[in-house]
């Protein structure tokens, strides 16, 4: 069975791919109580497009949340 040097493999992949930023994850939450339990969450009260909330998470590293009635697009 072959053994691999995973540290070297990951370092090489990171060098070749050159990630510009960390990925952004999204989760749909049903109740306001659920996202109030998330540490350091920024709850948007204004009318927001989805791309702004994702952009803030991406650009500033924020954990953002927006109520259903405040989104432009209803998913």
């Amino acid at each position: 069975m072959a053994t691999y040097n995973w540290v070297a493999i990951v370092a090489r992949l990171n060098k070749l791919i050159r990630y510009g930023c960390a990925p952004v994850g999204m989760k749909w939450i049903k109740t306001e109580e659920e996202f109030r339990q998330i540490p350091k969450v920024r709850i948007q009260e204004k009318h927001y497009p989805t791309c702004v909330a994702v952009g803030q998470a991406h650009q500033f590293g924020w954990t953002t949340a927006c109520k259903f009635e405040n989104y432009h697009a209803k998913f």
Side-chain angles (χ1 to χ4, degrees), residues 19-32:
Y19 291 113
C21 64
V24 173
M26 294 181 70
K27 180 178 180 181
W28 298 107
I29 298 177
K30 293 183 181 181
T31 64
E32 190 170 337

Side-chain angles (χ1 to χ4, degrees), residues 2 7-8 15 20 22-23 25-26 38 44 49-50 53 57 62-64 71:
V7 174
K15 183 179 177 184
M26 294 181 70
I38 301 169
Q44 307 299 338
T50 308
W62 294 349
T63 301
T64 61
Y71 269 119

Side-chain angles (χ1 to χ4, degrees), residues 7-22:
V7 174
I9 292 170
V10 170
R12 178 94 171 124
L13 283 171
N14 284 332
K15 183 179 177 184
L16 293 172
I17 296 172
R18 293 188 185 154
Y19 291 113
C21 64

